[in-house]
């Protein structure tokens, strides 16, 4: 509770700071190096991504704090190019963050029509940024890569693209499996914020071993190393992202500029009057290992926690079922709820277990029902047939055929009728 209060106060201070720092400046020209009206916005900047994020349970529980010069619907202050260049140059980054007209396009998008998404992302980042920063730092990768999920999914672990990519890092199914992410009917670890983050870090490290250049790595993360290699080849072996720019797919052309813009807006949102959302939620969560099958409803009813909260904290489980008997699984809950779960674990597992896990392990096939008809059935004997072949044909026995026909031996004659039922 103490950490939750501190986190809430820090976000409140950021909101108030936004009101102080919002600046009125001269109108900018938008000039820069090159422009491109044909670029396609990355997945995380689309309307569907925004709708997906804003429908998330956590986002619905945000409290939007407005201060002086800090409002959800206030006009965006306009700055000149030199201001953007100066601000980007001051960011303590390893990855080069140059400015041009395309980067300006994305900064304008984030600070105007995507303002509400940025507000929500700032709130959601309190849940996911610590996970991402820990993985990047442990692997020795630049921390500014933590903003890639904003472009990929608008920081929504439940996001699914039209192409089938899923999760914070938008892994395709095959790539996810290469990096150890399980996907089946009940679980999709591409949506697991922790496991998918470590998988993404491993993928980024592998890409860096190929290119030793972060803009190319970021481009390859979007369109694949094969596509980047073709663009390099078409440009005579040049390995500068900006020199192979027009040989890349339209979405990838916008991917690096949008990454630069995301770094900008996540550091300078106050200057644009954008308020961070404060989540009225328990930020202190913990995990427990589950080794038995468990349904979210069992947890919800016994531990008195909303289903949507469980789903939001455990987006990897597709059908509200944790398949603990198939593989060790983690369950994330607010700490106070987790203590309650552990204290009542046996009760939780037993609650309506037959209702939630009623799949039959074995099943018997009943014998075919005998015909209720009492009408006898006859078979005309053909040349070469015996009682044995006729019995097999009608699913009966030689003994039964003899009884039905009053036969004392196995001799039968072609052309005669034999009762078989």
């Amino acid at each position: 509770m103490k950490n939750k209060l501190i986190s809430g106060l820090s976000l409140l201070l950021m909101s108030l700071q936004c009101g102080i720092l919002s600046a009125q400046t001269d109108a900018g020209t938008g000039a820069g190096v090159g422009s491109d009206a044909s670029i396609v916005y990355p997945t995380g900047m689309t309307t569907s991504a925004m709708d997906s994020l804003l429908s998330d349970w956590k986002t619905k529980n945000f409290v939007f704090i407005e201060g002086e010069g800090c409002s959800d619907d206030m006009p965006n202050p306009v700055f000149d190019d030199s201001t953007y260049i100066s601000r980007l140059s001051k960011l303590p980054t390893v990855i080069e963050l140059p400015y041009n007209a395309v980067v300006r396009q994305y900064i304008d998008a984030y600070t105007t029509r995507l303002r509400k998404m940025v507000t929500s992302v700032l709130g959601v980042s309190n849940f996911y940024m610590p996970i991402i920063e820990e993985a990047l730092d442990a692997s020795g990768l630049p921390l500014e890569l933590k903003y890639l999920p904003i472009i990929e999914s608008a920081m929504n672990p439940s996001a699914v693209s039209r192409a089938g990519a899923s999760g914070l890092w938008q892994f395709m199914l095959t790539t996810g499996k290469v990096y150890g992410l399980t996907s089946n009917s009940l679980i999709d670890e591409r949506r697991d914020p922790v496991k998918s983050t470590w998988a993404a870090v491993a993928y980024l490290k592998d890409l860096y071993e190929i290119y030793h250049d972060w803009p190319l790595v970021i481009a390859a993360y979007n369109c694949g190393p094969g596509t980047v290699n073709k663009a390099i080849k078409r440009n005579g072996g040049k390995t500068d992202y900006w020199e192979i720019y027009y040989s890349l797919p339209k979405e990838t052309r916008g991917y690096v500029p949008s990454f630069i813009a995301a770094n900008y807006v996540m550091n300078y949102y106050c200057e644009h009057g954008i308020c961070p959302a404060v989540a009225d939620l328990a930020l202190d969560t913990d995990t427990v290992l589950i080794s038995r099958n468990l349904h979210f409803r069992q947890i919800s009813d016994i531990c008195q926690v909303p289903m949507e909260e469980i789903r939001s904290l455990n987006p990897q489980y597709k059908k509200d079922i944790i398949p603990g008997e198939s593989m060790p699984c983690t369950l994330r809950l607010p700490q106070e709820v987790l203590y309650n779960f552990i204290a009542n674990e046996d009760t939780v597992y037993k609650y309506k277990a037959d209702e939630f896990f009623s799949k039959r392990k074995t099943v018997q096939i009943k014998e075919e029902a005998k015909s209720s008809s009492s009408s006898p059935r006859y078979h005309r004997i053909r040349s070469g047939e015996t009682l044995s072949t006729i019995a097999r044909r009608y699913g009966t026995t030689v003994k039964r055929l003899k009884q039905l026909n009053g036969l004392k031996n196995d001799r039968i004659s072609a052309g005669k009728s034999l009762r078989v039922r």
Side-chain angles (χ1 to χ4, degrees):
M1 182 61 70
K2 181 180 178 182
N3 291 339
K4 178 184 177 183
L5 180 61
I6 292 171
S7 178
L9 288 172
S10 65
L11 284 171
L12 176 59
L13 288 172
M14 283 195 291
S15 297
L16 295 175
Q17 184 184 27
C18 288
I20 297 170
L21 294 178
S22 288
Q24 296 298 320
T25 65
D26 295 333
T29 62
V33 182
S35 61
D36 188 355
S38 66
I39 53 176
V40 177
Y41 283 114
T43 303
M45 299 182 71
T46 61
T47 303
S48 60
M50 284 194 294
D51 292 343
S52 178
L53 172 66
L54 296 175
S55 67
D56 183 76
W57 182 84
K58 286 191 291 293
T59 310
K60 288 178 180 178
N61 284 271
F62 283 155
V63 176
F64 297 93
I65 298 178
E66 297 184 358
E68 184 182 350
C70 178
S71 173
D72 184 48
D73 57 358
M74 72 170 288
N76 177 43
V78 181
F79 301 96
D80 58 25
D81 292 333
S82 62
T83 301
Y84 291 124
I85 294 168
S86 175
R87 288 175 180 173
L88 283 169
S89 68
K90 290 177 181 177
L91 293 178
T93 64
V94 172
I95 301 173
E96 188 180 56
L97 302 176
Y99 176 82
N100 56 36
V102 181
V103 173
R104 172 65 179 265
Q105 277 183 254
Y106 282 95
I107 291 175
D108 288 344
Y110 279 127
T111 55
T112 53
R113 70 178 184 84
L114 296 177
R115 288 173 68 86
K116 193 170 184 65
M117 185 198 79
V118 173
T119 294
S120 299
V121 165
L122 286 165
V124 172
S125 64
N126 286 281
F127 292 91
Y128 302 123
M129 282 304 179
I131 295 170
I132 298 169
E133 288 173 343
E134 180 184 358
L136 290 170
D137 184 59
S139 302
L141 299 189
L143 289 184
E144 50 268 33
L145 291 169
K146 65 186 178 183
Y147 299 128
L148 274 179
I150 297 174
I151 308 164
E152 287 291 338
S153 63
M155 294 293 287
N156 185 357
S158 298
V160 180
S161 76
R162 287 175 293 181
S166 186
L168 279 178
W169 296 90
Q170 290 290 283
F171 272 104
M172 294 297 290
L173 190 65
T174 51
T175 309
K177 288 185 176 180
V178 168
Y179 286 89
L181 300 177
T182 298
S183 293
N184 55 45
S185 296
L186 295 179
I187 186 169
D188 187 350
E189 290 183 340
R190 295 177 297 167
R191 301 182 187 182
D192 185 318
V194 177
K195 290 186 177 180
S196 68
T197 293
W198 283 94
V201 166
Y203 186 29
L204 288 166
K205 285 187 71 174
D206 287 346
L207 291 173
Y208 190 76
E209 286 300 312
I210 297 172
Y211 298 110
H212 297 283
D213 178 87
W214 283 113
L216 289 181
V217 168
I218 294 168
Y221 189 90
N222 176 252
C223 65
T227 303
V228 171
N229 292 343
K230 290 177 184 176
I232 292 172
K233 187 175 181 180
R234 282 196 291 268
N235 287 272
K238 292 178 181 177
T239 56
D240 185 320
Y241 170 83
W242 300 103
E243 291 193 37
I244 67 170
Y245 178 86
Y246 283 107
S247 297
L248 292 167
K250 289 181 180 179
E251 181 176 322
T252 309
R253 286 185 218 164
Y255 199 74
V256 171
S258 64
F259 171 75
I260 296 170
N263 272 267
Y264 173 87
V265 76
M266 292 298 284
N267 285 278
Y268 294 107
Y269 57 88
C270 285
E271 283 78 353
H272 291 268
I274 299 175
C275 305
V278 180
D280 186 23
L281 302 168
L283 298 181
D284 291 334
T285 64
D286 208 341
T287 59
V288 64
L289 195 64
I290 302 297
S291 57
R292 296 159 62 182
N293 290 342
L294 185 63
H295 196 283
F296 285 178
R297 180 59 65 187
Q298 293 173 291
I299 306 167
S300 177
D301 288 357
I302 299 300
C303 299
Q304 298 298 296
V305 56
M307 284 284 287
E308 285 303 312
E309 183 170 4
I310 304 173
R311 288 170 180 151
S312 185
L313 293 174
N314 301 274
Q316 65 270 37
Y317 301 114
K318 297 159 71 173
K319 302 294 182 181
D320 295 344
I321 294 172
I322 303 175
E325 290 184 4
S326 302
M327 57 186 287
C329 298
T330 56
L331 168 66
R332 182 174 293 275
L333 292 170
Q335 282 188 351
E336 64 272 20
V337 177
L338 191 64
Y339 298 147
N340 189 13
F341 171 82
I342 293 171
N344 298 279
E345 196 166 354
D346 288 339
T347 303
V348 174
Y349 281 117
K350 290 177 183 177
Y351 176 72
K352 294 187 177 181
D354 291 340
E355 177 183 332
F356 295 123
F357 305 105
S358 59
K359 287 199 302 185
R360 296 172 293 181
K361 294 183 178 179
T362 62
V363 64
Q364 291 183 338
I365 302 176
K366 295 181 180 180
E367 292 185 8
E368 185 179 6
K370 301 294 183 181
S371 174
S372 61
S373 174
S374 58
S375 301
R377 184 175 178 182
Y378 293 90
H379 170 77
R380 184 172 292 280
I381 303 169
R382 301 188 186 93
S383 178
E385 286 186 323
T386 65
L387 286 178
S388 295
T389 59
I390 297 171
R392 284 196 298 272
R393 178 174 177 180
Y394 290 97
T396 186
T397 64
V398 171
K399 182 178 179 180
R400 179 60 178 161
L401 290 179
K402 284 183 178 181
Q403 291 174 344
L404 289 173
N405 294 277
L407 299 175
K408 295 182 180 180
N409 54 50
D410 294 348
R411 289 197 298 271
I412 54 176
S413 302
K416 293 188 175 180
S417 293
L418 187 73
R419 183 178 174 182
V420 294
R421 184 179 299 163

